[in-house]
Amino acid sequence: MAAGSRPGGALLLLLLPLMLLLPAAGGGCAAESGPLEPFDALYASGVEAYYGGDFAGAARCLERALRSRRELRAARLRCRRLCRAQVRLAEPGPGAGGDLPFFGSVLRRADCVRRCEEPLLGAVSRHRAAEEVRADFQRRVPYSYLQRAYIQLNKLEEAANAAHTFFMANPEHMEIQQDLENYKTMSGKVSLIDQEARQHMEDYSAGVRHYDREEYELAIEFLERALRGYYSEDEDCQIMCEGPQRFEEHEYLDYKAGLYEAIADHYMQVLACKHDCVRELATRSGRISPIENFLPLHYDYLQFAYYRVGDYVKALECAKSYLLFHPDDEDVLENAGYYEGLLEGTVDPATIKPRKEARTLLRRHKLESHLLQVAAAGLGYAYTEPNYWNRYGARQDEHSVPSSISSEPEDGPRLSLTKKPMPKPDRELKEGGPLLYSDVKFVYNSQQLNGTQRVLLDNVISEEQCRELHRVASGIMLAGDGYRGKTSPHTPNERFEGATVLKALKYGYEGRVPLKSARLFYDISEKARRIVQSYFLLNSTLYFSYTHLVCRTALSGQQERRNDLSHPIHADNCLLDPEANECWKEPPAYTFRDYSALLYMNADFEGGEFIFTEMDAKTVTASIKPKCGRMISFSSGGENPHGVKAVTKGQRCAVALWFTLDPLYRELERIQADEVIAMLDQEHLGPSEMNINPKDEL
């Protein structure tokens, strides 16, 4: 995205529904006075100023919106903590009226919270932001606007920090990645800071880095600090759960429950929120799934680090703390026994107990679980207890557990820094499902393509649809689109052009290309998604992660003696390391991508074969010649390294599709395109003539 472009593209029309959901900002972002101004009102003013070209006003309002949201949370924490201390909840007494002391203390605490908050915040109703706005802040969207505003104001360091903060929650955002690369290539004047970083996670990551370098003193310092931060954040999370809750199965105005039903309904939602703090504190920004076994891992790293520095008492204490969560872990049980042997004759190992804070949290967590399950059984609540301390989850980007056993000197504990075996996939890999459309032709499966989770199909679209799509492409593609503005991102010998579904629909709506043709792009990508989901027998919805119509054209005069590739060998969701024969599933790779597909539009060019290779990026296992209607689809991981041979003459065009099973990483432009399609249907503009409904879906 160019420095002057706008987040989400130029389609202000698509942002109008969000703007209508936001409350009026009261005459813009005025000077601060009186109670805290609602962050959603400030956000609305900032977005409005941004699209009005008032970048100084946009930056001012967006900064205040972010600050207001932080101050709102801080004020609520302060007041609720204060009133907890000042007004203790009384125990109910026996007999008639015995419950009055308890409810009296509840009323006094509610009054305390109200009297504390109102001077700071004003009326409670001022701070009830719409779900769409809360989602924007969760995804750090205000920082995307801020980055662009700062660039216009020539505030490079502020722009870099805003871009980095946004990127940490949106690692799939290609334009922001390019912006960050630009900042990093500058003269070292810019340091990138995540302005929404959670300190306990930063300390944990730093501790693990020092641990991996065998810097055990530093590892202990950061991991202990991470634990203190974790328990402090846990207390805050518990308190924040005592705020308003949504009654998901009831309309508030029609809610007619009795006293104890109403109390139980509200309290169970509060309790479920508190119980889930364990997951909340273990989840990185912008992610859905938590780091598996997050809290116990602190103690696991520490027990070995303390052993390495010779503090056997602390090593045993941390080992016993870990065993609270996993009492049957054979590795740590063996380590604890070894530490006890080292302490024999100096300290009675029985006097060394697990840490109090770990015992307290686990005891509370188990009681919460018990109450939630009692409510589910007796009061009709739907509740399933997650496994919060799963040791062997399916996250391939997780740190290894340090307590695995390998060769150590016979006089030392059998510990090592080596990784445990890679976890099993979180889903069973299958293929061979129905193709859904009678005209689609099966060509090759994984075995015939010498790999895993691969399929080659023909006749996914017709010759006429290929021609029509090519006409659309010629009218909407821009050089460098989808490649961060680079016209030759992979090789200087070819020019790359591209366009997104949303751009096609925008051009169709504006009459710059036929609307029916523009919609064809949308429809065929949906057809491809259905086929991939069905063929690989996925038991959950496959979402679009990115959709791109791309053409690569051989540049005349630059084709003699070419020995490069049109697209180098890579994997789609991990960083391919051919020398180590590994693929590292970590940023900046698009780790959330699960399946990929390429739907080809033409064959009138030379070169450009799609190839699969081994992990060495050299040994070719399959080669596919593109042609109209042919589609290759495959899982996006390190099992499928692939690339494209040089296009030496003509132009090669395809629809490139990446999919995810994680709804958090749904393609934003696709969601906006869905809204445009719905709007067009309401205006009776109708779908394209292509039928995307399966003819013979099972």
Side-chain angles (χ1 to χ4, degrees):
M1 185 182 290
S5 63
R6 299 173 174 178
L11 281 179
L12 181 57
L13 173 65
L14 292 175
L15 293 178
L16 287 178
L18 171 62
M19 299 296 293
L20 293 173
L21 285 168
L22 298 169
C29 190
E32 299 181 60
S33 62
L36 185 69
E37 192 166 356
F39 70 87
D40 55 348
L42 292 165
Y43 179 44
S45 294
V47 173
E48 184 177 9
Y50 179 91
Y51 282 104
D54 178 9
F55 299 111
R60 184 171 60 252
C61 291
L62 291 166
E63 287 168 353
R64 284 183 55 191
L66 292 162
R67 187 166 66 249
S68 172
R69 184 169 177 261
R70 287 191 289 268
E71 290 176 0
L72 174 64
R73 185 177 189 271
R76 286 174 169 168
L77 278 171
R78 185 165 59 250
C79 288
R80 291 172 192 174
R81 189 175 283 115
L82 174 70
C83 294
R84 269 188 172 191
Q86 289 185 353
V87 183
R88 299 288 182 179
L89 296 181
E91 292 188 12
D99 56 353
L100 292 177
F102 170 74
F103 283 112
S105 61
V106 170
L107 294 173
R108 289 193 300 276
R109 183 177 288 187
D111 180 60
C112 174
V113 171
R114 182 188 59 79
R115 286 187 289 106
C116 177
E117 288 187 353
E118 276 195 357
L120 301 170
L121 308 178
V124 174
S125 60
R126 299 176 72 240
H127 298 281
R128 290 176 179 165
E131 180 67 31
E132 290 84 355
V133 178
R134 293 197 300 270
D136 271 9
F137 277 80
Q138 182 70 22
R139 296 181 61 195
R140 303 186 180 183
V141 172
Y143 286 99
S144 180
Y145 286 105
L146 261 180
Q147 184 213 189
R148 299 300 167 193
Y150 285 141
I151 288 175
Q152 294 293 331
L153 298 171
N154 200 30
K155 293 184 175 181
L156 181 60
E157 186 164 355
E158 290 88 341
N161 289 334
H164 180 65
T165 303
F166 177 76
F167 175 73
M168 295 306 292
N170 300 272
E172 79 282 6
H173 201 287
M174 298 182 69
E175 291 86 357
I176 291 290
Q177 285 198 46
Q178 178 60 38
D179 292 336
L180 289 172
E181 288 178 11
N182 292 338
Y183 296 138
K184 290 175 182 177
T185 58
M186 293 178 180
S187 58
K189 298 179 181 178
V190 175
S191 59
L192 302 182
I193 300 171
D194 181 0
Q195 295 172 317
E196 297 286 338
R198 306 174 78 176
Q199 193 58 49
H200 74 283
M201 279 207 161
E202 296 291 301
D203 290 336
Y204 171 78
S205 297
V208 172
R209 285 195 298 272
H210 288 299
Y211 182 99
D212 289 340
R213 297 171 190 154
E214 301 187 28
E215 299 166 350
Y216 296 114
E217 294 280 4
L218 286 170
I220 289 168
E221 178 184 344
F222 279 97
L223 288 167
E224 291 285 15
R225 187 190 303 169
L227 276 175
R228 291 192 295 272
Y230 180 95
Y231 286 109
S232 175
E233 285 290 326
D234 177 68
E235 182 182 350
D236 289 351
C237 182
Q238 296 278 313
I239 292 172
M240 289 304 294
C241 284
E242 294 174 0
Q245 297 290 330
R246 288 177 298 164
F247 290 75
E248 296 178 356
E249 298 179 5
H250 308 285
E251 288 292 334
Y252 177 74
L253 294 177
D254 296 330
Y255 191 56
K256 304 295 184 182
L259 172 64
Y260 294 105
E261 289 173 300
I263 292 174
D265 201 347
H266 191 96
Y267 182 68
M268 282 302 103
Q269 293 183 65
V270 170
L271 188 62
C273 174
K274 290 185 174 186
H275 194 56
D276 210 47
C277 284
V278 168
R279 181 184 298 275
E280 165 65 21
L281 296 181
T283 304
R284 299 183 183 97
S285 298
R287 309 288 178 89
I288 286 181
S289 300
I291 299 173
E292 297 286 358
N293 205 31
F294 181 63
L295 178 57
L297 271 174
H298 289 70
Y299 296 109
D300 199 10
Y301 281 113
L302 281 169
Q303 56 98 8
F304 189 61
Y306 275 120
Y307 160 72
R308 285 297 198 183
V309 301
D311 192 336
Y312 307 136
V313 170
K314 288 288 184 65
L316 181 56
E317 177 188 73
C318 290
K320 288 186 174 182
S321 299
Y322 179 88
L323 289 169
L324 290 174
F325 301 91
H326 303 299
D328 60 344
D329 188 301
E330 294 181 1
D331 295 344
V332 182
L333 282 169
E334 188 170 352
N335 296 345
Y338 182 81
Y339 303 147
E340 289 176 352
L342 291 174
L343 293 170
E344 189 174 348
T346 59
V347 178
D348 181 2
T351 64
I352 300 172
K353 306 293 184 183
R355 292 194 178 178
K356 180 180 178 180
E357 66 271 17
R359 297 199 309 268
T360 301
L361 182 141
L362 198 55
R363 188 183 308 117
R364 185 200 76 210
H365 196 71
K366 288 179 178 178
L367 181 56
E368 290 168 349
S369 176
H370 173 71
L371 289 176
L372 286 165
Q373 292 181 60
V374 166
L379 301 176
Y381 292 94
Y383 179 73
T384 302
E385 175 76 3
N387 187 346
Y388 288 101
W389 318 117
N390 183 18
R391 281 183 290 162
Y392 306 111
R395 296 175 62 80
Q396 295 184 10
D397 59 344
E398 189 46 65
H399 295 295
S400 60
V401 178
S403 57
S404 58
I405 294 174
S406 70
S407 58
E408 283 282 328
E410 291 184 2
D411 59 346
R414 296 169 60 199
L415 298 163
S416 81
L417 304 182
T418 59
K419 295 183 178 181
K420 285 187 174 179
M422 288 291 286
K424 294 180 180 179
D426 57 352
R427 63 186 184 277
E428 184 180 356
L429 300 182
K430 301 178 182 178
E431 62 178 285
L435 299 179
L436 304 182
Y437 301 84
S438 58
D439 50 346
V440 175
K441 179 184 176 183
F442 170 83
V443 182
Y444 293 134
N445 60 18
S446 295
Q447 184 177 4
Q448 293 163 316
L449 291 168
N450 301 312
T452 302
Q453 294 280 278
R454 302 175 181 177
V455 65
L456 183 65
L457 306 172
D458 278 343
N459 300 336
V460 175
I461 57 176
S462 67
E463 292 281 353
E464 175 55 35
Q465 288 165 346
C466 285
R467 287 191 291 271
E468 186 173 356
L469 199 57
H470 206 281
R471 287 193 293 270
V472 173
S474 63
I476 65 175
M477 288 194 305
L478 290 177
D481 181 281
Y483 296 97
R484 307 164 190 170
K486 296 180 180 179
T487 58
S488 300
H490 303 304
T491 170
N493 302 308
E494 298 173 25
R495 184 180 73 253
F496 286 71
E497 302 165 287
T500 63
V501 168
L502 185 62
K503 183 178 179 182
L505 291 173
K506 174 182 178 291
Y507 275 39
Y509 190 75
E510 294 173 352
R512 298 163 72 174
V513 297
L515 183 56
K516 185 185 73 171
S517 302
R519 177 152 183 173
L520 177 65
F521 182 11
Y522 176 92
D523 288 344
I524 66 164
S525 57
E526 172 61 17
K527 180 178 182 180
R529 186 197 67 81
R530 288 172 177 260
I531 293 171
V532 173
Q533 179 176 300
S534 177
Y535 179 80
F536 289 112
L537 296 167
L538 302 177
N539 57 10
S540 58
T541 302
L542 197 63
Y543 300 96
F544 289 98
S545 170
Y546 190 55
T547 312
H548 198 224
L549 196 161
V550 58
C551 293
R552 53 191 82 199
T553 305
L555 297 177
S556 59
Q558 295 182 213
Q559 303 305 315
E560 290 186 12
R561 294 186 295 276
R562 275 190 69 179
N563 59 3
D564 63 340
L565 294 175
S566 176
H567 199 145
I569 303 300
H570 64 284
D572 285 342
N573 74 5
C574 53
L575 305 176
L576 189 63
D577 185 349
E579 292 186 4
N581 208 39
E582 292 279 1
C583 202
W584 307 106
K585 201 168 183 182
E586 59 188 44
Y590 303 105
T591 56
F592 47 85
R593 289 178 176 171
D594 294 297
Y595 285 89
S596 309
L598 293 154
L599 176 58
Y600 299 109
M601 296 162 47
N602 66 316
D604 54 341
F605 57 89
E606 294 181 7
E609 293 89 350
F610 177 94
I611 55 174
F612 286 114
T613 73
E614 299 283 7
M615 292 278 283
D616 62 6
K618 297 177 181 178
T619 307
V620 176
T621 58
S623 179
I624 294 147
K625 177 67 176 176
K627 69 174 185 177
C628 167
R630 172 164 286 179
M631 185 172 82
I632 180 70
S633 183
F634 49 92
S635 56
S636 303
E639 67 278 5
N640 282 318
H642 58 278
V644 179
K645 289 186 177 181
V647 177
T648 56
K649 183 178 181 181
Q651 183 183 67
R652 174 191 190 270
C653 294
V655 176
L657 304 123
W658 292 272
F659 306 104
T660 178
L661 293 167
D662 188 340
L664 179 66
Y665 294 104
R666 293 174 64 189
E667 182 181 10
L668 179 59
E669 286 205 3
R670 188 75 189 196
I671 296 172
Q672 294 174 330
D674 293 341
E675 294 171 356
V676 173
I677 290 295
M679 180 183 68
L680 295 177
D681 287 345
Q682 289 176 358
E683 295 178 4
H684 306 293
L685 296 177
S688 70
E689 293 179 357
M690 176 179 179
N691 175 23
I692 66 165
N693 294 317
K695 296 178 181 178
D696 52 355
E697 186 171 5
L698 297 182

